[in-house]
Amino acid sequence: MFFFKLFIFLSFVSSSFSHETLLPRPLIIQYPEGIETQIHEFDEELKLQCTSWRFSAEANNLSPWKMIPEECLGYIKDYMTGRGYKMDLERVSNEAGVYAQSLELSGDGKDVWIFDIDETLLSNLPYYVEHGYGLEIFDPIEFDKWIQRGMAPAIEPSLQLYEKVLDLGFKVFLLTGRSEQHRSITIENLIKAGFRSWDKLILRDGEHQGKLATVFKSEKRSEMVEEGYRILGNSGDQWSDLLGAATSSRSFKLPNPMYYIP
């Protein structure tokens, strides 16, 4: 009986394999010749387009703009989290340091270097990692929540420049678009990140709320000049940190392709 059942089973299996309708052939997809080359060329073209966009943004040729191009999200992420962003920060700070060291200060306490805070001294990259690296429209409420946490890390090359200009004898003024209501947490965050001994921390008060950053910072620099200060250096990640009235003898633009502030 066993051998009879085995014979029947083998006969069934043989019959099944002889009919392609029961066990169809596997699907074989044939890609066009050179598809890998075409994909590589497309990736390279996209990278070039996004590099060109970033250059234009940094050179202030795109102003104003509200968010990064959607197709460049991966590129901006790779730039901000990779060696490129760090190398650019180091180059800017090194050049600023060489310039600062070349100056002969007056010794009267009136030689000033201005620093912006966000994306200049403190990095908000942890926030932007969670908000699309600039792909999302800026949300001031969410950003204020991040500021209140007081957890922004130092931008290390800027910290090195900051310490150098202090050691050289500059007065250091911090000029930021942050609101006056954030003074305490900003001081706490700066100290935690390693910054010390600034002479002035200037934030927006009620009178300056709603003003463009270029106007607000121009007015504050003009006040410094009227008080007899000489603005010899200015570091910021936005053109609105650097342009306008009472500009410094030399300004240094840090990279920031994630957002634009007029």
Side-chain angles (χ1 to χ4, degrees):
M1 179 63 70
F2 170 78
F3 289 103
F4 177 76
K5 289 182 178 179
L6 180 61
F7 174 78
I8 296 298
F9 173 76
L10 292 174
S11 298
F12 174 77
V13 170
S14 176
S15 173
S16 297
F17 274 91
S18 67
H19 292 82
E20 293 182 357
T21 55
L22 294 178
L23 292 174
R25 294 176 181 174
L27 179 62
I28 299 175
I29 300 176
Q30 293 184 338
Y31 292 101
E33 285 188 21
I35 187 66
E36 292 184 1
T37 300
Q38 293 177 31
I39 292 173
H40 176 73
E41 289 176 351
F42 175 80
D43 289 343
E44 286 300 308
E45 178 65 20
L46 180 59
K47 183 178 179 180
L48 286 172
Q49 290 290 344
C50 292
T51 301
S52 178
W53 179 87
R54 181 171 67 84
F55 170 79
S56 294
E58 297 290 9
N60 205 30
N61 293 330
L62 299 179
S63 59
W65 55 275
K66 293 185 177 180
M67 58 185 188
I68 67 171
E70 186 173 357
E71 63 272 18
C72 293
L73 172 59
Y75 170 85
I76 297 298
K77 175 183 176 181
D78 290 345
Y79 171 74
M80 292 300 301
T81 59
R83 181 65 183 136
Y85 177 56
K86 294 177 182 178
M87 186 177 292
D88 288 345
L89 290 171
E90 289 166 359
R91 186 174 297 277
V92 173
S93 292
N94 289 342
E95 290 297 323
V98 170
Y99 163 71
Q101 203 156 6
S102 72
L103 298 175
E104 185 174 344
L105 304 189
S106 63
D108 62 0
K110 293 292 186 178
D111 296 314
V112 170
W113 196 290
I114 299 175
F115 288 94
D116 172 52
I117 292 181
D118 294 299
E119 269 60 66
T120 300
L121 298 183
L122 298 178
S123 172
N124 298 303
L125 187 55
Y127 171 84
Y128 282 98
V129 166
E130 301 297 324
H131 293 271
Y133 298 91
L135 187 59
E136 297 180 10
I137 293 293
F138 180 71
D139 186 334
I141 295 175
E142 287 300 311
F143 189 69
D144 277 0
K145 291 178 183 177
W146 159 253
I147 288 178
Q148 289 294 347
R149 294 171 66 186
M151 295 176 61
I155 293 177
E156 288 299 328
S158 292
L159 178 55
Q160 293 170 17
L161 173 64
Y162 182 96
E163 291 174 341
K164 174 174 277 191
V165 299
L166 276 178
D167 291 342
L168 288 171
F170 285 87
K171 293 281 187 182
V172 169
F173 291 173
L174 308 184
L175 178 54
T176 174
R178 289 188 178 198
S179 171
E180 186 65 42
Q181 68 184 22
H182 293 138
R183 177 174 290 274
S184 295
I185 193 63
T186 298
I187 292 173
E188 180 183 322
N189 196 162
L190 286 165
I191 293 173
K192 188 188 303 181
F195 297 97
R196 59 181 176 84
S197 303
W198 59 81
D199 289 278
K200 290 186 180 183
L201 171 58
I202 304 168
L203 303 97
R204 284 183 186 260
D205 56 20
E207 178 187 349
H208 293 95
Q209 293 297 334
K211 287 185 178 180
L212 292 177
T214 306
V215 175
F216 163 64
K217 295 197 171 187
S218 290
E219 290 178 356
K220 290 302 178 182
R221 288 195 303 268
S222 296
E223 291 174 9
M224 296 174 198
V225 172
E226 289 170 4
E227 292 170 6
Y229 291 105
R230 293 175 292 275
I231 305 173
L232 300 182
N234 187 5
S235 297
D237 67 294
Q238 300 291 318
W239 284 103
S240 53
D241 299 328
L242 312 173
L243 300 178
T247 55
S248 65
S249 298
R250 189 166 173 190
S251 298
F252 294 88
K253 168 74 168 63
L254 282 74
N256 182 2
M258 297 187 297
Y259 61 84
Y260 172 85
I261 297 177

